[in-house]
Amino acid sequence: MKQDLLSASTDLLRRRLPHPPQVAVITGTGLGALADVVEDPVVIPYDEIPGFVASTAPSHAGQMVGGMVRGCPVVVLQGRIHYYEGFGMEKVAWPVRVLQRLGVKTLALTNAAGSLNRAMQPGDIVMLDDHINLMGANPLIGLHDDAHGERFPSMHQPYDQDLRRQFRSLAKRHGVRVAHGVYAAVSGPNLETRAECRMLASLGADLVGMSTVPETIVAVQAGMRVLALSIVSNYGNLFHNERHTQDEIRRHAATAGVNLSKILSDLLAQLSERE
Ligand code: HPA
């Protein structure tokens, strides 16, 4: 049944996307701007794709944009499903399983995150070099299918070292500072208490957010190379004790998202040269 639905998803996208995508980008809160640089874009709303659900999160468009970015066939997924939306991990992971079937080898994930590290300030771009899954759920739980990859995939290095190196050097060319750190994934949807922020920092997390890790786990199982980038949208309640508004989070994400899109577009150009 699940395989049938996966085939239906994949068949529809093969028919409608202008090119078989080499790279996919899943964009988070306020970061959908990357889709603006896609040439001759073909837009497919999620609710037209079997197995997809339209995201209910604010500022997540809920559509796929396929086309070329500087010679690289890409698909940009504008908006993601979060675990807190209540559809279950299968729906959160679904797009990545479909991308695997489409032959995508490289996945870039972006998100907005809270900072637990004073040096990572609102507006900064942070490359993930590791994560801690504290969502209380895992997308690989359930009956195993060898078509998805290994039952017990190694997570010794979920984020690809070469992609990180490339991204860092492209950011330098643009004069953009890029930090790197550990992302703790929580279920949300409430933001963390002060005690939770202290706990997360003491566990070794630099950032906290409500996404990205499930997609990474599935992509690693699928054998994809993963690059994950956070935009710091706010300090966690570790250094102060303030209410954070969704407006503030979106504003920081959108401003830094412009730089992030420039660097990612350079990276896509480099990846197309590699093939
Ligand atoms: N906590 C969790 N998720 C988030 C935050 C935060 O402070 N900011 C943006 N996403």
Side-chain angles (χ1 to χ4, degrees):
M1 174 58 200
K2 196 163 127 191
Q3 287 300 336
D4 291 349
L5 199 55
L6 266 177
S7 300
S9 264
T10 317
D11 291 348
L12 176 126
L13 291 170
R14 282 208 185 101
R15 277 198 310 276
R16 297 205 20 205
L17 288 173
H19 314 275
Q22 176 192 333
V23 180
V25 186
I26 301 182
T27 63
T29 304
L31 296 170
L34 185 74
D36 299 342
V37 299
V38 176
E39 296 144 30
D40 302 324
V42 168
V43 177
I44 309 169
Y46 288 166
D47 59 12
E48 294 178 15
I49 312 171
F52 274 64
V53 283
S55 173
T56 65
S59 83
H60 283 246
Q63 59 188 24
M64 263 194 203
V65 181
M68 299 291 275
V69 175
R70 296 166 62 193
C72 186
V74 298
V75 62
V76 179
L77 280 71
Q78 282 184 303
R80 56 158 57 89
I81 305 303
H82 302 81
Y83 186 50
Y84 65 72
E85 291 174 76
F87 299 107
M89 272 297 174
E90 190 175 321
K91 292 297 185 197
V92 176
W94 188 262
V96 182
R97 297 246 189 261
V98 174
L99 294 172
Q100 176 189 17
R101 284 227 175 175
L102 285 174
V104 167
K105 296 283 182 274
T106 303
L107 177 65
L109 300 160
T110 71
N111 64 55
S115 170
L116 304 165
N117 180 332
R118 206 183 278 280
M120 299 178 192
Q121 300 163 10
D124 282 353
I125 297 173
V126 184
M127 246 179 335
L128 305 202
D129 39 33
D130 210 341
H131 69 232
I132 305 172
N133 180 14
L134 292 171
M135 289 186 133
N138 188 303
L140 307 188
I141 288 175
L143 282 179
H144 178 63
D145 185 337
D146 278 335
H148 295 157
E150 288 180 55
R151 166 92 271 195
F152 304 106
S154 169
M155 287 291 146
H156 71 285
Q157 196 183 98
Y159 303 99
D160 187 80
Q161 226 164 11
D162 290 339
L163 288 174
R164 280 188 277 157
R165 219 173 282 134
Q166 272 175 284
F167 188 88
R168 189 196 306 277
S169 85
L170 291 169
K172 211 166 175 186
R173 265 193 231 168
H174 283 280
V176 175
R177 201 173 76 96
V178 174
H180 60 100
V182 174
Y183 176 99
V186 295
S187 71
N190 62 278
L191 301 182
E192 297 67 39
T193 65
R194 281 169 72 81
E196 285 165 344
C197 286
R198 277 199 301 275
M199 175 195 74
L200 293 168
S202 75
L203 290 177
D206 299 292
L207 300 170
V208 56
M210 304 171 197
S211 69
T212 302
V213 166
E215 291 124 315
T216 296
I217 290 172
V218 172
V220 169
Q221 185 191 42
M224 294 180 195
R225 303 197 301 157
V226 180
L227 175 71
L229 302 154
S230 291
I231 285 178
V232 177
S233 55
N234 56 281
Y235 273 127
N237 287 318
L238 194 60
F239 313 111
H240 58 195
N241 192 17
E242 284 171 10
R243 173 187 291 275
H244 296 293
T245 64
Q246 282 301 306
D247 245 17
E248 170 197 354
I249 290 177
R250 276 200 289 275
R251 206 163 10 89
H252 281 299
T255 313
V258 175
N259 276 336
L260 183 53
S261 295
K262 275 191 221 150
I263 305 165
L264 267 180
S265 134
D266 281 2
L267 181 66
L268 293 170
Q270 275 192 358
L271 291 176
S272 76
E273 285 161 17
R274 212 178 84 124
E275 291 299 301

